[in-house]
Amino acid sequence: MIYLKTDEEIELLRENNLLVSETLAEVGRHIRPGVTTKELDSIAEEFIRSHGAVPAFLGYQGFPASLCISVNEQVVHGIPSSTCVLKEGDIVSVDCGTFMKGFVGDSAYTFAVGEVAEEVRRLMTVTKEALYKGTAQAKAGNRVGDVSAAVQEHAESFGYGVVRELEGHGLGRKMHEDPGVPNYGARGRGPLLKEGMVICIEPMINMGTRTVVFERDGWTVRTRDRKPAAHYEFAVAIRKDGPDVLTDFSIIEQAINN
Ligand code: MG
Ligand code: MG
């Protein structure tokens, strides 16, 4: 069941997703060698609560933290830990959710820890570009497959692996609504995008094989070949005249470039 949102509901989703962007910016300011992923999680939880929201991931299907923090070969759903210490050259994908005024925010960003290898920097850049290319297709009259194919084609043109097991989703009063938004697919296929739909587009792109392993902690997903993966996520409202991106990466990028 796909729920179409009113303009008022889209504004509440925008409020949530801007808070997620601000939270990711706050986390980004603290990312440096020596910090633990648990410390980053605490910073995010306090920031979210101090802005009148609740961390949407905490307790979701039993998830034990406010952020998913996935380092290097971890693709998504990494659990913050006091023993996971970031070091120079790591990349760290941070996925954040909020719940406020009856609606959910959900976005993700991959950060560099200090200087990272050139090939890793390229993976980050291409994954973000894949998100932008998918987002450009997120307009009324297109289909989910148009978004999916745009993401897949860009990532695969660099020889990267596109994760199949996890996908984007509708966003609203619940974190995961219909439709599913895969990062691979065929143009002109899948559900029709209509004005008032809100979807999360979230490419998970691996430097090597697309195959992933689900770790025994019940959450963490990592690349089988242990090469790095990147993950960026936008919440996007579908409008007649094009995509209305509810997430704001410029807040994050201003924070980390200072
Ligand atoms: Mg997310
Ligand atoms: Mg999501």
Side-chain angles (χ1 to χ4, degrees), residues 57 68 77 94-97 105-108 169 175-176 200 202 231 233:
F57 296 176
C68 295
H77 301 168
V94 182
D95 198 342
C96 177
D106 179 18
S107 314
H169 50 89
M175 186 149 52
H176 295 121
C200 285
E202 48 179 314
H231 176 217
E233 177 178 20

Side-chain angles (χ1 to χ4, degrees), residues 111-124:
F111 297 90
V113 184
E115 290 299 313
V116 303
E118 188 54 42
E119 60 172 3
V120 178
R121 178 64 71 177
R122 189 184 317 117
L123 171 70
M124 296 167 68

